[in-house]
């Protein structure tokens, strides 16, 4: 308990939250569970009011799952389009808000598909104009920990104004799986939403369950029996330190920019589809001198390209769909051991496989 409290104090400082007991938090399995906790607390704030959840088209599907499990109802999710930067469109969002409902505004500190960062300060301003009707939640699974870097922190201005932040420590902080965190600005509301009394959980004047001076994390999450996640976080911070962790995150972003430059050097065969401020690049192979190639065939080719890359053990590139119909290869660089030479090798192998696929009967006749 005491170790987790210390870890949470560090994380509050990193995220710009008040480092006192007015703000609460807990370590959980990951952002999916953290999101459920945040929405449960928001529901407590709005009491018996019906709720609307506002998020962008690129928001993580854990939002939908949490809304469904908590009984808020998928029909109460309002999907907001994104702008050219793939951020949630603030103007459309503001016009879509129905203040007769309690509203949760979900901002992304790095979307899972492209790494886009929503205008967190703009979202915070919007929620501040309606403090009794709106709750500002940030999905920081991908990028919230970039606050470890003084160079990258300005990208996330506004994060410190959130009512709740859900983020992972097993991604970009390299903590062994599984470990995420939820921070809630209103600690009393957090406990009121999830704390439950029972005779077998009674707090005493002394002993191992004292009524004063202690904090029981079962009152701040869904589990009574909890694994000890705090030690591996504590050891990570103590072993490497905040400066080193921030520098590795910066290194991954610089490597991403380098990979973008490689794609641009091969613009006759590779198309850059999306890249943001973080460590994610979406791209696809395009057949040279085949401007009229049907999208369906192009998508099929890139799917086969991705599968072959994975099956040959070259890299674990993942998938993303751009603008509802374009299949993209998604490169996400989060390994502290990655070197630029690895990216050179990956691209060389990708092009070799692409050329092999072009010679197969399935695709050769469509060139």
């Amino acid at each position: 308990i005491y170790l987790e409290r210390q870890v949470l104090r560090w994380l509050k400082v990193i995220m710009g939250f008040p480092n006192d007991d007015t703000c609460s938090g807990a370590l959980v399995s990951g952002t999916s569970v953290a999101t459920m906790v945040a929405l449960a607390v928001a529901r407590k704030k709005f009491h018996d009011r019906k709720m609307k959840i506002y998020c962008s088209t690129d928001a993580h599907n854990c939002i939908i799952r949490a809304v469904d499990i908590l009984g808020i109802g998928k029909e109460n999710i309002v999907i907001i389009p994104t702008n050219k930067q793939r951020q949630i469109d603030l103007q459309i969002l503001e016009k879509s808000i129905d203040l007769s409902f309690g509203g949760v505004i979900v901002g992304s500190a790095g979307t899972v598909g492209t790494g886009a960062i929503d205008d967190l300060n703009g979202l915070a301003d919007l929620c501040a104009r309606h403090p009794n009707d709106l709750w500002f939640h940030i999905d920081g699974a991908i990028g919230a920990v970039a606050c470890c870097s003084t160079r990258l922190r300005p990208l996330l201005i506004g994060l410190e104004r959130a009512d709740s932040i859900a983020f992972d420590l097993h991604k970009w902080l390299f903590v062994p799986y599984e470990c995420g965190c939820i921070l809630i600005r209103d600690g009393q509301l957090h406990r009121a939403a999830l704390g439950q009394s029972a005779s077998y959980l009674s707090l005493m004047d002394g002993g191992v369950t004292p009524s004063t001076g202690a904090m029981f994390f079962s009152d701040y999450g869904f589990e009574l029996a909890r694994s000890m996640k705090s030690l591996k976080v504590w050891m990570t911070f103590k072993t490497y330190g905040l400066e080193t962790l921030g520098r590795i995150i910066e290194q991954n972003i610089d490597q991403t920019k380098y990979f973008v430059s490689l794609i641009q050097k091969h613009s006759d065969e590779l198309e850059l589809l999306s890249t943001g401020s973080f460590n994610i690049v979406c791209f696809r192979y395009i057949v040279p001198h085949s401007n009229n190639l049907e999208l369906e065939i192009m998508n099929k080719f890139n799917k086969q390209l991705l599968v072959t890359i994975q099956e040959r053990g070259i890299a674990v590139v993942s998938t993303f769909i751009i603008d509802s119909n374009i299949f993209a290869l998604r490169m996400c660089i989060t390994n502290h051991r990655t070197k630029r030479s690895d990216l050179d090798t990956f691209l060389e192998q990708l092009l070799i496989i692409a050329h092999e696929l072009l010679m197969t009967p399935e695709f050769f006749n469509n060139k």
Side-chain angles (χ1 to χ4, degrees):
I1 290 175
Y2 294 105
L3 197 58
E4 185 162 348
R5 291 177 71 178
Q6 175 59 64
V7 166
L8 288 170
R9 282 194 287 268
W10 290 339
L11 293 173
K12 289 176 187 178
V13 172
I14 291 170
M15 300 300 159
F17 263 43
N19 185 21
D20 55 35
D21 292 336
T22 64
C23 162
S24 59
L27 297 180
V28 294
S29 60
T31 294
S32 293
V33 171
T35 299
M36 288 180 60
V37 172
L39 293 186
V41 179
R43 183 173 61 181
K44 183 70 173 179
K45 170 188 171 73
F46 296 129
H47 301 291
D48 296 327
R49 294 171 66 182
K50 290 185 177 180
M51 293 173 63
K52 293 283 187 184
I53 314 297
Y54 303 89
C55 59
S56 83
T57 52
D58 285 354
H60 195 279
N61 69 354
C62 71
I63 305 292
I64 300 172
R65 183 181 300 172
V67 166
D68 193 31
I69 291 173
L70 292 171
I72 296 170
K74 293 180 182 179
E75 68 277 7
N76 291 313
I77 299 176
V78 181
I79 303 296
I80 307 298
T82 57
N83 58 23
K84 292 181 180 180
Q85 289 74 43
R86 307 198 73 86
Q87 301 169 309
I88 190 169
D89 191 305
L90 281 175
Q91 291 184 337
I92 296 176
L93 170 63
E94 189 157 16
K95 291 176 182 177
S96 302
I97 293 173
D98 184 346
L99 294 177
S100 65
F101 291 81
V104 175
I105 308 297
V106 180
S108 293
T111 56
V112 67
T114 66
I117 306 168
D118 287 332
D119 181 354
L120 303 180
N121 227 14
L123 293 173
D125 288 341
L126 173 58
C127 292
R129 292 196 289 273
H130 307 283
N132 296 323
D133 302 304
L134 297 177
W135 176 280
F136 182 25
H137 173 70
I138 290 181
D139 178 349
I142 296 287
V145 295
C147 285
C148 292
S149 161
T150 54
R151 181 185 115 189
L152 302 173
R153 188 183 295 271
L155 297 173
L156 299 168
I157 291 175
L159 181 139
E160 73 285 350
R161 300 172 63 190
D163 293 301
S164 56
I165 308 175
F167 56 99
D168 285 331
L169 304 173
H170 56 224
K171 287 189 175 75
W172 233 354
L173 273 192
F174 318 107
V175 171
Y177 270 83
E178 54 186 22
C179 192
C181 182
I182 178 66
L183 293 180
I184 305 287
R185 182 170 299 280
D186 187 336
Q188 288 187 337
L189 184 65
H190 188 178
R191 189 177 187 279
L194 296 170
Q196 296 289 335
S197 61
S199 60
Y200 49 84
L201 298 174
S202 296
L203 302 182
M204 309 299 289
D205 292 335
V208 297
T209 57
S211 58
T212 58
M215 178 180 183
F216 297 98
F217 286 102
S218 57
D219 288 336
Y220 296 87
F222 300 127
E223 300 168 302
L224 290 180
R226 305 173 71 244
S227 62
M228 187 180 183
K229 297 179 173 65
S230 55
L231 181 60
K232 54 190 175 184
V233 183
W234 188 89
M235 289 293 291
T236 298
F237 278 123
K238 282 294 186 179
T239 301
Y240 301 107
L242 198 63
E243 183 178 342
T244 297
L245 292 169
R247 190 167 62 248
I248 294 171
I249 293 171
E250 293 171 7
Q251 175 179 290
N252 285 156
I253 291 177
D254 292 340
Q255 289 166 340
T256 303
K257 292 177 180 177
Y258 174 71
F259 186 68
V260 168
S261 73
L262 293 181
I263 293 174
Q264 292 170 336
K265 287 179 182 177
H266 294 82
S267 59
D268 58 328
E269 293 187 84
L270 297 174
E271 181 182 6
L272 180 65
L273 295 172
S274 178
T275 183
S277 301
F278 278 157
N279 58 333
I280 297 174
V281 182
C282 291
F283 66 101
R284 65 175 176 171
Y285 185 85
I286 52 175
V287 180
H289 315 300
S290 298
N291 296 329
N292 297 322
L293 197 63
E294 293 182 7
L295 179 61
E296 182 180 353
I297 297 173
M298 186 81 78
N299 284 345
K300 187 176 182 180
F301 181 90
N302 279 279
K303 288 177 183 179
Q304 186 58 53
L305 176 61
L306 180 140
V307 168
T308 307
I309 289 169
Q310 292 178 349
E311 290 181 346
R312 291 190 184 180
I314 296 167
V316 185
V317 186
S318 59
T319 67
F320 190 64
I321 304 299
I322 298 286
D323 299 330
S324 302
N325 61 355
I326 300 175
F327 182 87
L329 283 74
R330 174 183 172 273
M331 166 75 83
C332 180
I333 303 174
T334 54
N335 195 318
H336 60 283
R337 295 188 178 94
T338 298
K339 304 182 292 293
R340 288 193 176 191
S341 58
D342 296 324
L343 303 177
D344 293 331
T345 300
F346 167 72
L347 196 68
E348 290 170 6
Q349 293 298 311
L350 180 148
L351 293 176
I352 289 172
I353 294 171
H355 297 160
E356 289 176 7
L357 291 175
L358 286 176
M359 299 308 296
T360 61
E362 184 175 9
F363 298 110
F364 181 80
N365 295 330
N366 290 300
K367 288 196 296 180

